[in-house]
Amino acid sequence: MLDCIARVEEYTQLQRDRFFGSRLIQDAVVRNLQVLAESSQRLSQEAKSVEAKIPWRAIAGFRNIVVHDYLGLDMETIWTVVEVELPPLRAALERLRE
């Protein structure tokens, strides 16, 4: 999951214009968010309970949206996930890794 976040950060350089300026980057980001969300379902309940503030169920639900409604994805929403949701998730995953 941390690798997926690192790739998203690498591809976008956390710059909105970079993300919106390239369909290739958008596709790469969406794919990594999909893998990240799928991977979250493999975390143990114990790990999830340690980081109870992370919306694990919402992450799993997001995976379903990305996979089943790919053509209807709103890139503004995807960017919000990158900008707002990934930083606290990264921090939680780093704490779990310790």
Side-chain angles (χ1 to χ4, degrees), residues 28-96:
V29 166
V30 168
R31 173 66 177 143
N32 276 277
L33 292 177
Q34 175 189 344
V35 172
L36 179 150
E38 288 177 3
S39 298
S40 75
Q41 296 173 349
R42 296 186 178 151
L43 288 176
S44 70
Q45 275 308 121
E46 181 181 355
K48 290 177 182 178
S49 68
V50 169
E51 291 293 340
K53 291 182 180 180
I54 299 298
W56 299 110
R57 292 183 83 128
I59 293 171
F62 178 75
R63 178 255 177 224
N64 293 334
I65 292 168
V66 170
V67 170
H68 299 293
D69 194 24
Y70 186 81
L71 295 176
L73 290 178
D74 176 23
M75 288 301 131
E76 287 287 345
T77 301
I78 298 298
W79 179 249
T80 299
V81 169
V82 170
E83 192 173 47
V84 175
E85 303 296 334
L86 289 188
L89 179 59
R90 173 191 267 288
L93 292 169
E94 287 173 347
R95 286 190 298 272
L96 285 173

